[in-house]
Amino acid sequence: MSTVEDFFAEHDDWPWNPPRPGRATFHYLILVTEGELLHDVDHVTRTVACGQWLWVRPGQAQCWHPPGAARGLFILFEPDVLTAGTARLLAPLTAHEAPAVLSPHPDDAAWLRQTALQLLDEHRALGRRRLDVHHALRRSLLESLLLRLAGSPDVTPTGAAAGGMGGRDTYARFVEALELHFRELHRAADYAGLLGCSVRTLSRAARDATGKGAREVIDERRLLEARRLLGGAGWDARAVAVHLGFTDPANFGRFFRGHTGLTPAAFAAREPETGG
C-alpha cells in the first residue's frame, strides 16, 4: 500500500521512461484523487479521472505512463491474499474481462476513499501492534474495500444475463474451465465434456450470458492471451503459436489476422489503442 506519488518517486524513471510493457503478476489497484492518470492495460490506453479506480489484474499486459499531475492511493496485493469465500464473491471483479477503470456509485465513493486511507495507515503501522493482528486488519480492510467496489455500476456479475440459475452456473463453470485449459482445449465439445453437459446447453448458457457462442468465447480467450504475449511479454509468433496449441505457426497467423486484421508482427509493433 502506497501512494501514486511515492511509488513514482521511489522508482525514479522506471519503468515509464521509456515506457516498457510488462505482464502483471499482482493486482494493481489505484484510486486517482487528483489529476488524471494514463495507463495501458492489454494494449489499450486507459484514462483514469479523479474519483475513478484503475484495476490491473494478474496476467494482464500493462505499460506505465509518466504520472504528470496525477495523485492517488496505490494498493498492490497478491491473488492468494483473499479468503476463499471473498474470492468467490469477487469473481466478477477479478475476472480478466472485468473493466479496467471503475467508477463507484456516488454513495460509495467517500467510503471507499476513507477505507483506502485506513488501509494505508495500517500498512504504515507495521510494528505498532502484533504482526498477526496487523496482517488480519490489512486483509479485513482490503476485503471490505473490494466488496464495496464490486457494487460499481461498471461491473456485470458473471452470467447475470443467463436465464435461470442453471444457465448461470453452467457459464460460470465454463469460464473456470476455460481459464485452466484454453491452451490445450479449443472446441466447445471439449468443455461440454468436462462439464457433463451437451454442446447445445453450453452454447445456450454462453449466449445468454455474453451474446456469443461457446466457440467465440473460447477464441476470444485465446486471442486475448496472444495479444498479451505478443505485446506485453514480447514473444514471437512461433512461440505464441506453440503456447496456445496451434500445430502450425501459419494457422496461428491466419487465426490472429482473421480476428484483428493484423499479422502478429504488425500487432506487436503497433501503438496502444485509446480507451476510457
Side-chain angles (χ1 to χ4, degrees):
M1 181 77 196
S2 182
T3 64
V4 171
E5 48 270 38
D6 286 348
F7 176 74
F8 277 80
E10 289 168 5
H11 293 85
D12 193 23
D13 63 350
W14 180 89
W16 36 82
N17 187 22
R20 293 189 292 274
R23 197 159 188 190
T25 55
F26 297 88
H27 287 280
Y28 291 73
L29 187 60
I30 297 175
L31 166 63
V32 176
T33 58
E34 294 181 34
E36 189 176 80
L37 183 71
L38 298 180
H39 199 86
D40 295 352
V41 182
D42 280 337
H43 317 294
V44 177
T45 300
R46 318 285 177 161
T47 301
V48 193
C50 183
Q52 292 184 314
W53 293 74
L54 171 73
W55 194 328
V56 183
R57 293 142 181 105
Q60 291 183 322
Q62 67 168 336
C63 186
W64 295 88
H65 289 247
R71 298 290 184 270
L73 301 170
F74 184 10
I75 302 169
L76 186 69
F77 64 96
E78 296 179 334
D80 61 0
V81 74
L82 303 174
T83 60
T86 300
R88 283 194 297 272
L89 291 172
L90 291 172
L93 196 57
T94 56
H96 66 84
E97 70 269 19
V101 179
L102 298 168
S103 300
H105 191 281
D107 292 344
D108 290 331
W111 187 94
L112 286 164
R113 178 171 178 167
Q114 186 59 39
T115 304
L117 287 169
Q118 290 175 342
L119 183 57
L120 176 60
D121 179 70
E122 184 58 39
H123 176 76
R124 291 172 171 173
L126 180 63
R128 188 188 302 170
R129 53 187 125 257
R130 275 189 7 227
L131 187 61
D132 55 347
V133 175
H134 170 72
H135 287 321
L137 278 168
R138 288 201 305 167
R139 174 179 289 173
S140 176
L141 287 165
L142 175 63
E143 291 189 339
S144 296
L145 186 150
L146 298 181
L147 288 167
R148 183 72 72 95
L149 194 58
S152 300
D154 322 75
V155 181
T156 302
T158 302
M165 289 298 294
R168 289 197 292 272
D169 180 63
T170 298
Y171 180 71
R173 292 191 298 124
F174 170 45
V175 170
E176 290 177 359
L178 183 60
E179 282 300 302
L180 292 173
H181 301 292
F182 68 85
R183 297 170 186 84
E184 69 271 12
L185 299 182
H186 311 136
R187 302 179 306 144
D190 296 328
Y191 292 94
L194 281 178
L195 301 180
C197 66
S198 67
V199 172
R200 183 178 179 182
T201 296
L202 178 62
S203 295
R204 184 188 304 115
R207 195 166 298 281
D208 286 344
T210 67
K212 304 166 186 175
R215 179 56 188 269
E216 190 175 356
V217 173
I218 295 166
D219 285 349
E220 285 188 352
R221 183 63 185 92
R222 298 176 81 198
L223 181 65
L224 174 61
E225 192 71 7
R227 288 163 58 96
R228 288 173 173 173
L229 294 174
L230 289 167
W235 291 27
D236 63 27
R238 182 176 296 274
V240 176
V242 171
H243 181 72
L244 293 179
F246 287 89
T247 56
D248 183 351
N251 290 338
F252 168 66
R254 285 190 289 271
F255 168 85
F256 192 87
R257 187 167 188 172
H259 284 85
T260 67
L262 298 170
T263 65
F267 174 83
R270 84 194 225 299
E271 293 295 321
E273 303 168 5
T274 301

